[in-house]
């Protein structure tokens, strides 16, 4: 009976418009007026500004050429947010749908990796491998545990894994490309062996047919080409690549019972739905039952019907979250036209038997009937105003061709559903100018790309490009959590409210932010919080201040503050007190040479003005002088995130990281930061000097010599550059050349170098003591000009570094 009612409502919605067209937005509102409630007073004033052009993303093309009415051309593509270069802001990979199936590969629109510059803009990453395919999905994960995010991209007859080696991405044959129609991708350590496994959805066994338009079937009063109907084709099996932990994978979906061969799968979600510490797997299938595989300590069992989520409708997008704050995580599923969307409310917290059951609450909560006319795709639960309640965003776009232009599809409006404290969802999209233009949307991914504390929206539109909508909605207090391990979940106590978050949503073919965002309302901190790591370990934290990004590491009870509140205007009294404390701190550091006292005073100053760059920087220096390298690195990293153009922050972080590095990976990260410092201020020689030292330590003498000669040309008084050039000559057996360079270095004199190192650039007045990897060898040199005497100890030291960097 319910199906009949849904169909009648749907047919009525279609037939209110002229034959062969959709109802207009006004007609749609009139039709659904009785199916929704009036938005109550007190609703947030949602503001979203389209910054696609200003951000530099307007050049991306999602599709080149003209459709030929074939299924892979219309299913769309996604986007994936991830900080691939570990600089503190999230970069963006955009998957292109390429173009018509008949087009040669070199005519397909390419997928593009964009680097986030930290100032609200993006640039394409040069040197990223060319990706031209009829693309579908992308997702980031550090599959080999080297601290850098790797990327998998799927598409029609394409599946590619790109390994992030730090200085470049390379095609990794660990997951070989194969023929098939590959859709959503999702990572998780399902067997809890310490590395990430990959699930890949197979859609249909598509057979290209440019004449498919001539064969059609009737659907809701329209003739649908045979080649656009997924029921025309057999289902493709799904894949599960089990990580072997040595740079290789074994495809094991059929062996483990999760190949879902009849599924026509588009998306898959790994998430611990029954709170037993093991990630379960939920698969969204088009025109076939969805599948839920419960993870019993690494053994996956199909419990779809037992949990009441074997959804038989045409499912596309998936989102997960505790929308009603009742202590368990719920599922949202987008569907095809006339099928409503689903809000599967978990009853886990209600039952004493702890059996996992879900009940569809979409109609009761405003999410069902409103979607009758729409074709839903990407979806995310996201707290858009930080009030502590998860709102919901849905990307919509028809699969029907326009009667007036059959090479185009019919556009639709998205949903922005405000969560009214768990009672009802109200669609606010029509009140927001940037969301009031119908589009044929598919992918949806959210991220705080500008690090201002609120979550922004990115839509991928078929036949066009992407829209980046900056969130300018007035915000309550918030906390963001950067977790160093994929798959962890968080349970936080904020006053008498419990909030749950995890990075596991898949939207549609997309990957949203890897940070967890928790809206606090008017609370000023998270009181207590438990982090459940994939390994089974649980860490507890307390008193996490609001409006701050915190980094949490497994087994480390001390959270790291990555960034603090936006700078606010101080009162006159606060300003006077800040500068009193700041001057006292500078005096303790500079005159009294007391880094302990100075550090305490800088911390007091930061309590008054948490984002003051000088206070952060000099506190980092004080901590370094006390031997607190981790604390110093955290402060310099904080300054790097607050001001991505701070030369001194990148230089000091890179220098200190190089000194304390215990592996080649840490030395590489130091080198990346110093390269950034050089890019910010190419004229300053300090960062170049440390880079030259790193090149020597890593055995790259050509790069070291080139850098040292540049420093010598720019600054003829650079005695340390001459000193190391002499060492390189000595290493090559040129004792005569080495002796001459030592004599030149000795003749420079002492007046060129201030005691210690300058705060910014090359000046004579110093603010703190600074060392480098090899700088003390020059500082302690007694001006002997015999290379065999001068360099024996230095060479032994460098060989020790070299062994560590291999």
């Amino acid at each position: 009976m319910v199906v009949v009612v849904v169909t009648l409502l749907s047919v009525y919605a279609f037939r209110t418009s002229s034959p062969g067209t959709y109802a207009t937005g006004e007609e749609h509102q009139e039709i659904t007026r009785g199916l929704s409630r009036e938005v109550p007073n007190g609703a947030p004033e949602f503001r979203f500004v389209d910054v696609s052009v200003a951000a530099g993303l307007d050049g991306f093309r999602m599709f080149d050429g003209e459709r030929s009415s074939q299924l892979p051309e219309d299913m769309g593509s996604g986007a994936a947010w991830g900080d691939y270069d570990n600089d503190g802001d999230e970069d963006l990979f955009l998957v292109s749908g390429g173009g018509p199936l008949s087009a040669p590969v070199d005519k397909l629109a390419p997928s593009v990796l964009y680097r986030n510059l930290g100032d609200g803009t993006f640039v394409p990453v040069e040197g990223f491998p060319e990706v031209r395919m009829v693309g579908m999905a992308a997702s980031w994960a550090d599959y080999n545990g080297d601290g850098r995010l790797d990327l998998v991209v799927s598409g029609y007859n394409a599946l590619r894994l790109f390994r992030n080696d730090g200085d470049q991405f390379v095609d990794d044959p660990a997951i070989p490309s194969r023929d098939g129609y590959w859709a959503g991708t999702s990572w998780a350590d399902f067997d809890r062996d310490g590395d990430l496994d990959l699930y890949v959805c197979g859609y249909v066994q598509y057979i290209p047919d440019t004449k498919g338009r001539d064969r059609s079937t009737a659907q809701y009063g329209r003739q649908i080409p045979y080649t656009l109907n997924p029921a025309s084709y057999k289902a493709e099996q799904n894949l599960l690549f089990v990580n072997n932990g040595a740079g290789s994978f074994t495809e094991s979906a059929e062996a483990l019972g999760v190949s879902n061969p009849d599924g026509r799968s588009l998306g898959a979600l790994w998430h611990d739905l029954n709170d037993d510490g093991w990630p379960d797997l939920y698969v969204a299938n088009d025109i076939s039952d969805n599948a839920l595989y419960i993870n019993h300590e690494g053994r996956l069992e199909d419990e779809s019907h037992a949990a009441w989520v074997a959804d038989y409708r045409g499912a596309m997008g998936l989102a997960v979250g505790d929308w009603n704050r009742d202590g368990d995580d719920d599922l949202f599923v987008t569907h095809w036209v006339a099928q409503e969307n689903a809000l599967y409310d978990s009853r886990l917290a209600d039952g004493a038997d702890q059996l996992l059951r879900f009940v569809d609450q979409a109609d009761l909560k405003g999410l069902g009937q409103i979607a009758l006319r729409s074709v839903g795709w990407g979806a995310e639960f996201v707290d858009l105003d930080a009030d502590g309640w998860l709102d919901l965003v849905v990307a919509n776009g028809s699969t029907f061709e326009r009667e007036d232009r059959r090479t185009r599809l019919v556009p639709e409006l998205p949903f922005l559903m405000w969560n009214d404290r768990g009672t009802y969802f109200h669609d606010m999209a029509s009140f927001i100018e940037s969301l009031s233009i119908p589009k044929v949307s598919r992918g949806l991914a959210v991220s705080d790309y500008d690090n201002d504390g609120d979550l922004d929206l990115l839509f991928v539109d078929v036949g066009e490009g992407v829209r980046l909508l900056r969130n300018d909605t007035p915000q309550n207090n918030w906390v963001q959590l950067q977790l160093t391990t994929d798959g962890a979940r968080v349970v936080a106590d904020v006053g008498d409210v419990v909030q749950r978050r995890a990075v596991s949503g898949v939207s549609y073919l997309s990957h949203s932010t890897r940070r967890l965002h928790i809206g606090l309302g008017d609370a000023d901190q998270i009181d207590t919080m438990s982090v459940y790591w994939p390994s089974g370990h649980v860490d507890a934290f307390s008193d996490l201040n609001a409006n701050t990004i915190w980094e949490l590491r497994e087994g480390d009870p001390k959270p790291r503050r990555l960034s603090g509140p936006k700078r606010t205007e101080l009162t006159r009294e606060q300003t006077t007190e800040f500068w009193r404390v700041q001057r006292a701190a500078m005096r303790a550091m500079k005159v009294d040479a007391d880094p302990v006292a100075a550090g305490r005073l800088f911390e007091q100053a930061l309590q008054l003005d948490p984002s003051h760059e000088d206070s952060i920087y000099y506190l980092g220096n004080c901590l370094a002088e006390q031997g607190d390298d981790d604390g110093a690195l955290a402060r310099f990293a904080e300054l790097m995130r607050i001001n991505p153009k701070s030369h001194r922050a990148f230089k000091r972080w890179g220098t200190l990281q190089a000194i304390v590095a215990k592996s080649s990976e840490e030395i590489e990260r130091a080198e990346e930061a110093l390269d950034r410092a050089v890019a910010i201020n190419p004229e300053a020689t300090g960062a170049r000097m440390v880079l030259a030292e790193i090149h020597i330590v890593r055995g790259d003498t050509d790069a070291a010599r080139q850098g040292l000669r540049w420093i010598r040309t720019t600054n003829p008084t650079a005695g340390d550059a001459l000193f190391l050039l002499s060492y390189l000559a000595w290493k090559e057996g040129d004792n005569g050349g080495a002796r001459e360079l030592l004599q030149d270095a000795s003749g420079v004199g002492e007046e060129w170098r201030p005691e210690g190192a300058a705060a910014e650039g090359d000046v004579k007045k110093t603010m703190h003591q600074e060392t480098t990897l090899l700088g003390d060898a020059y500082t302690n040199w007694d001006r002997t000009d015999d290379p065999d005497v001068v360099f024996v100890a230095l060479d032994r030291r460098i060989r020790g570094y070299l062994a560590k960097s291999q």
Side-chain angles (χ1 to χ4, degrees):
M1 184 66 179
V2 173
V3 175
V4 173
V5 173
V6 169
T7 303
L8 290 174
L9 285 167
S10 169
V11 171
Y12 174 66
F14 280 105
R15 292 186 177 177
T16 54
S17 55
S18 59
T21 64
Y22 259 159
T24 66
E26 291 181 357
E27 290 169 338
H28 176 209
Q29 291 179 4
E30 182 64 31
I31 294 164
T32 58
R33 190 182 304 276
L35 304 179
S36 61
R37 302 180 182 180
E38 295 296 324
V39 177
N41 293 330
E45 184 182 350
F46 288 110
R47 304 173 192 163
F48 288 89
V49 178
D50 190 334
V51 295
S52 311
V53 175
L57 300 177
D58 55 315
F60 174 76
R61 303 308 304 162
M62 185 269 177
F63 193 94
D64 273 350
E66 190 171 278
R67 294 177 58 256
S68 59
S69 298
Q70 298 195 73
L71 190 61
E73 300 169 350
D74 291 356
M75 296 305 290
S77 57
W81 292 100
D83 184 7
Y84 81 87
D85 53 3
N86 291 325
D87 65 351
D89 42 43
E90 292 193 306
D91 310 295
L92 177 63
F93 188 82
L94 297 179
V95 184
S96 174
L101 291 190
S102 58
V105 172
D106 62 350
K107 298 299 182 183
L108 298 176
S111 300
V112 182
L113 173 61
Y114 286 91
R115 181 184 176 194
N116 188 338
L117 298 183
D119 58 0
T121 64
F122 298 79
V123 294
V125 175
E126 296 182 4
F128 188 84
E130 185 174 75
V131 184
R132 293 183 186 269
M133 64 170 73
V134 178
M136 291 285 280
S139 56
W140 294 98
D142 178 13
Y143 85 87
N144 55 4
D146 65 355
R148 295 184 292 261
L149 291 179
D150 311 295
L151 181 70
V152 67
V153 185
S154 69
Y156 177 65
N157 286 335
L159 184 63
R160 296 175 69 179
L161 176 66
F162 298 101
R163 188 181 68 246
N164 183 355
D165 284 348
D167 57 347
Q168 64 178 343
F169 282 85
V170 298
D171 268 299
D172 193 336
I175 295 181
S177 187
R178 59 179 68 196
D179 288 345
Y181 193 170
W182 309 117
T185 59
S186 188
W187 297 88
D189 183 10
F190 85 95
D191 50 7
R192 285 185 22 180
D193 64 351
D195 45 41
L196 294 171
D197 313 293
L198 174 65
Y199 194 78
V200 179
C201 294
Y203 189 33
V204 298
Q205 298 178 28
Y206 187 75
I207 302 172
D209 182 1
T210 57
K211 298 181 180 180
R213 182 191 295 276
D214 300 333
R215 291 178 291 164
S216 62
T217 56
Q219 293 180 338
Y220 299 108
R222 290 171 174 266
Q223 292 299 312
I224 306 301
Y226 174 91
T227 49
L228 292 181
N229 187 348
S232 303
Y233 307 96
K234 294 180 180 179
E236 181 62 84
Q237 67 175 355
N238 298 342
L239 309 173
L240 175 56
F241 292 95
V242 178
N243 194 331
N244 299 321
S248 67
F249 293 83
T250 301
E251 201 290 296
S252 306
E254 186 173 358
L256 295 174
V258 293
S259 62
N260 199 203
D262 300 320
R264 297 182 179 87
S265 304
L266 286 170
L269 170 75
W270 290 105
H271 192 87
D272 182 11
L273 292 168
N274 59 0
D275 283 355
D276 67 350
W278 293 81
D280 308 302
L281 178 64
Y282 188 66
V283 183
N285 292 323
D286 196 2
I287 62 169
S288 44
D289 289 358
N290 289 357
L292 172 62
Y293 299 98
I294 296 298
N295 191 342
H296 297 281
E297 299 185 1
R299 181 171 45 85
L300 297 163
E301 293 189 4
D302 188 344
E303 300 185 19
S304 318
H305 290 86
W308 305 341
V309 287
D311 194 321
Y312 59 89
R313 293 167 282 187
M316 274 80 80
L318 292 173
V320 64
D322 185 11
W323 67 273
N324 52 2
R325 302 199 319 200
D326 66 348
D328 46 35
D329 289 328
D330 314 297
L331 293 167
F332 179 79
V333 187
T334 59
H335 292 122
W336 198 58
V337 69
Q339 296 179 351
E340 298 191 351
N341 293 331
L343 177 64
Y344 285 112
D345 185 56
S346 174
R347 298 305 169 90
L348 182 67
D350 298 340
D353 55 7
Q354 291 296 295
L355 293 176
L356 186 62
R357 299 285 188 272
F358 294 85
V359 176
D360 188 355
Q361 298 280 303
D363 273 339
L364 295 177
K365 301 302 177 182
L367 299 176
Q369 293 176 341
I370 194 173
L372 282 170
R373 292 188 64 261
S374 303
V375 180
W377 303 89
E380 284 287 6
F381 281 116
V382 51
D383 187 352
L384 294 171
D385 60 347
D387 67 347
W389 295 91
L390 290 173
D391 309 301
L392 180 67
V393 183
V394 181
N396 294 322
S398 180
T399 56
F400 291 132
E401 295 178 329
R402 288 171 47 173
E403 291 293 333
D404 60 337
R405 190 176 179 184
R406 296 190 64 185
T407 58
R408 294 292 188 93
L409 302 178
V410 176
E412 297 178 345
L413 293 176
F415 296 140
L416 190 149
M417 311 299 294
W418 169 55
N419 183 349
D420 186 5
R421 304 182 66 82
T423 62
Y424 203 78
F425 286 91
H426 302 272
D427 184 19
M428 308 293 288
S430 61
F431 300 102
I432 304 167
E433 183 177 358
S434 60
L435 291 173
S436 298
I437 303 173
K439 297 284 184 179
V440 184
S441 298
R442 294 293 188 262
L444 167 69
V446 304
S447 169
D448 180 13
Y449 80 95
D450 50 3
N451 284 340
D452 66 350
D454 52 36
L455 292 171
D456 313 291
L457 309 177
L458 184 127
F459 292 86
V460 182
D461 300 323
V462 170
E464 298 186 50
V466 297
R467 285 173 292 149
L468 177 60
L469 305 184
R470 189 185 67 219
N471 187 353
D472 287 350
T473 304
Q475 296 290 303
N476 293 281
N477 291 331
W478 53 270
V479 160
Q480 289 191 39
L481 305 171
Q482 181 77 46
L483 306 181
T484 58
T485 304
D486 285 290
R489 61 187 175 90
V490 164
V491 178
D493 295 306
V494 183
D496 58 355
V497 173
V498 177
Q499 301 236 36
R500 299 164 57 92
R501 296 289 188 273
V503 179
S504 55
V506 295
S507 185
Y508 175 73
L509 308 178
S510 298
H511 194 170
S512 289
T513 178
R514 303 174 64 80
R515 287 190 198 143
L516 303 181
H517 175 278
I518 301 178
L520 305 182
D522 58 4
D524 58 6
Q525 67 176 18
I526 291 177
D527 299 319
T528 60
M529 184 175 69
S530 297
V531 180
Y532 298 83
W533 302 99
S535 65
H537 181 76
V538 181
D539 281 319
F541 301 90
S542 62
D543 301 330
L544 297 177
N545 293 336
N547 306 325
T548 302
I549 301 174
W550 297 97
E551 181 184 70
L552 308 179
R553 296 175 178 269
E554 184 173 1
D556 186 349
K558 184 178 180 181
R560 289 175 169 83
R561 188 174 182 270
L562 298 183
S563 74
K566 296 179 184 178
R567 190 164 186 173
T568 57
E569 292 296 325
L570 304 181
T571 66
R572 179 177 299 179
E573 293 78 11
Q574 288 173 324
T575 300
T576 299
E577 177 63 10
F578 170 81
W579 284 111
R580 184 193 70 79
V581 176
Q582 179 77 357
R583 292 189 186 100
M586 296 294 289
R587 186 167 55 251
M589 178 182 66
K590 190 175 175 185
V591 178
D592 302 335
D594 187 345
V596 175
R600 290 172 183 161
L601 288 165
F602 283 126
E603 287 179 341
Q604 291 179 29
L606 287 169
Q607 289 178 2
L608 293 165
D609 189 349
S611 58
H612 196 280
E613 294 185 27
D614 283 349
S615 300
I616 296 170
Y617 179 67
Y618 294 131
L619 175 56
N621 291 324
C622 291
L623 293 172
E625 289 192 40
Q626 296 174 57
D628 183 1
D629 297 325
D630 288 343
L633 287 169
R635 288 298 180 173
F636 296 137
E638 180 181 354
L639 182 53
M640 288 156 56
R641 291 174 176 85
I642 289 175
N643 180 6
K645 301 296 185 183
S646 175
H647 170 269
R648 61 181 177 175
F650 284 95
K651 175 177 176 287
R652 283 293 280 133
W653 190 93
T655 301
L656 183 57
Q657 179 63 51
I659 292 171
V660 303
K662 296 181 176 61
S663 66
S664 60
E665 289 79 10
E666 291 182 348
I667 292 176
E668 288 173 7
R669 288 198 286 272
E671 189 174 0
E672 291 168 3
L674 291 163
D675 282 335
R676 184 80 174 268
V678 170
I680 294 169
N681 186 357
E683 301 304 318
T685 60
R688 291 182 185 270
M689 189 68 202
V690 185
L691 280 170
E693 294 178 350
I694 290 176
H695 292 318
I696 291 173
V697 163
R698 300 183 71 177
D700 190 350
T701 56
D702 290 340
R705 184 177 288 106
Q706 181 179 356
L708 292 168
R709 286 173 175 169
W710 188 96
I711 294 169
R712 179 78 174 92
T713 302
T714 303
N715 180 8
T717 62
D720 48 357
L722 288 167
F723 182 81
L724 290 180
L725 283 169
S726 175
Y727 167 77
L728 293 176
W730 175 76
K731 280 291 289 182
E732 294 175 350
D734 183 7
N735 272 35
R739 185 182 298 272
E740 288 182 14
L741 287 166
L742 279 178
Q743 291 169 350
D744 289 343
S746 181
V748 166
E750 294 297 324
E751 67 278 1
W752 74 273
R753 172 194 280 271
E755 183 181 355
E760 185 84 61
D762 298 319
V763 298
K764 297 212 174 172
K765 189 74 170 172
T766 68
M767 295 293 184
H768 62 275
Q769 297 294 115
E770 181 178 321
T771 59
T772 64
L773 277 80
L774 310 175
D776 59 340
Y778 171 70
T779 303
N780 298 327
W781 172 43
D782 62 2
R783 297 310 187 255
T784 300
D785 65 359
D786 183 351
D788 290 330
V789 174
V790 174
F791 293 130
V792 169
L794 176 60
D795 187 57
R796 187 183 307 114
R797 177 175 165 188
I798 289 172
R799 281 188 277 113
Y801 275 123
L802 186 60
K804 182 170 60 174
S805 67
Q806 296 302 314

